[in-house]
Amino acid sequence: MPFTDWLKNRTQKTQEAANKRAVPDGIWSKCTICGKTIFQKDILNNFHVCPECGHHFGLSGHERVMMLLDDGSFSATEEDLWPKDPLGFIGSKPYRQSLNNAIETTGRREAVTTGFGRIKGNKVGFGVLDFRFIAGSMGSVVGEKIARLFEAATSERLPVITVVSSGGARMQEGVLSLMQMAKTAATVEQHNQAGLPYISILANPTTGGVLASFASLGDIIIAEPKALIGFAGPRVIEQTLDEKLPKGFQTSESVLNHGMVDMIVPRDELRETVGRLISGLSPVSSDQNLGDQVV
Amino acid sequence: MSRRYYIDFERPVVEMEDQLEELKKLPEAHKPDIIKEIKFLEDQITKLKKRVYKNLTAWQQVQMSRHPDRPDFVRYLDLIFDDFIELHGDRTYGDDLAVIGGLAKLGEQNIVVVGQEKGKDTHDRLRRNFGMPHPEGYRKAIRLFKLAGKFNLPLITIIDTPGAFAGVGAEERGQAQVIAKCLSTLSSLPTPTIAVNIGEGGSGGALAFGVCDRVFMLENAYYSVITPEGCAAILWQDKEKAPEAAEALALTAKKLLKMGIVDGVIKEPLGGAHRDPKSTAGKIGEILKKTLGDLLSKPVDELVALRYERVRQFGVFSDRQESEIIT
């Protein structure tokens, strides 16, 4: 019996029990998109992609590193930076509290992880934004670490790969967050003028000030399937226009059609594709690269 | 007398000013006791204006920055620059009227000037999409930025937008992409650059014109990561809370100067730039000339390096082992 059929049977049998209590953590997961209940191991073994509908679940920085970089090749940089609350911002809740919650739930100091590692043998600078940390938003620390990553990569003459999943600039640090857009864009531009490749990967969702700064400045821009990608959020646009948005608007597939990204790459092919792109962007395949790929 | 537009908190001032006008129109206006009365009222108005305008809240300043009578970019273009030759189009899709740019003279100096234009009256505002550029506006701007770089012409940008336009076409034609390109282009442009925020500095759409060697703001202008209304909608699901959001966002010229985000604040007449556009324009012109003189005395390579340092240092964070925010 195919797995999916077995799953359907199994799901029906456990329906009653499932109705009475929450899906046990660590065994079963319910896909947030198709609603199907799936063996969690099957999601994990499938690059955190729903085997039923192909939905790409969000990933932590660590998971991204594991998935994209060669085993054990990654070393993190700038781990000592902590966020501050420069404005003493109090919205619906104090910014400090949001930070504390995020630090507690993610076990990370900020929404960003940066460092150096290898992809298919190629040494690269690597940065990733984690949506679980205040919507992957860019405040001073995110901007600073991205800026330092590009600066270090420029001086070491290395390509940079970033994977972004972000709601945009972090409101709670006010105009300082806005300035991170200028800061990151300026460092990407230096890296660019040094003739070095930058590959930007957009995951679900990528919007606002992150898309409108470094994430859009890649020599090559890749989107994960069905990601929301846009400058203004769909709700904002709906309010501005007072009408329903076209179907599929701001999805990876739509932004590809409008010429805004180079390609859509499913997660299980990402490592292979990025590796080939980096090699392809070098004028000649260096011996070192070849050697590493043979291994 | 025809009703001028006024913001709620300005009402006492405007009412007293109307009284004064009526008094002056009286046939007996030349009589000593009426003259005395006029003098008295004028003194009262001055005092009241000081009280009302000297300590505006963040939200009141945002309201001032959007005052319908506030001078727009075109007004300053006439008052500050000479021999303006407008250049149109982005060479790709269209000519966005929310962005105006071209060649001009500042004193004897040939320059390129590019600014965001909200429009002077209702008809004009509709045409110019209330100063909210589409991607073609930013593409036109990038073209003119590069023109300035190519011919070593100093670039002056004028910021006055609630934000880049949020719409289907704007998204499909790459709003995020062109804003990012504005930032990177300006960050390395090989010519002196100065930005002046004359009113609204709404988010990335404003910053796209703001990565310059020097950035100035008019006293009642604001500069923010998000509009107060947008912030209030996200935080409290209630746009009516915009005044609280304005306060929390620290978006006033004074605060931004203190934080080192802008290099100078240009004073406005009591009651706002619209009460005396000529003197405001005069002040902007003076500062532009002085700043340009300073910038032109430096080699371009050094300017670009300093501009990089300028944006590079923005941000407040801690690099200690221990967090300062964990409570």
Side-chain angles (χ1 to χ4, degrees), chain B residues 174-189:
Chain B
Q175 194 69 290
Q177 174 68 225
V178 293
I179 290 173
K181 269 278 179 255
C182 280
L183 304 178
S184 61
T185 305
L186 282 179
S187 77
S188 60
L189 199 72

Side-chain angles (χ1 to χ4, degrees), chain A residues 22-64:
Chain A
V23 182
D25 225 11
I27 301 169
W28 296 99
S29 266
K30 199 168 185 179
C31 176
T32 43
I33 299 302
C34 67
K36 296 226 170 78
T37 307
I38 300 149
F39 219 18
Q40 202 172 60
K41 227 164 139 193
D42 291 320
I43 297 176
L44 296 183
N45 291 340
N46 197 33
F47 296 88
H48 293 246
V49 175
C50 172
E52 289 289 320
C53 71
H55 172 63
H56 283 52
F57 289 99
L59 292 177
S60 70
H62 177 71
E63 286 162 337
R64 282 285 177 195

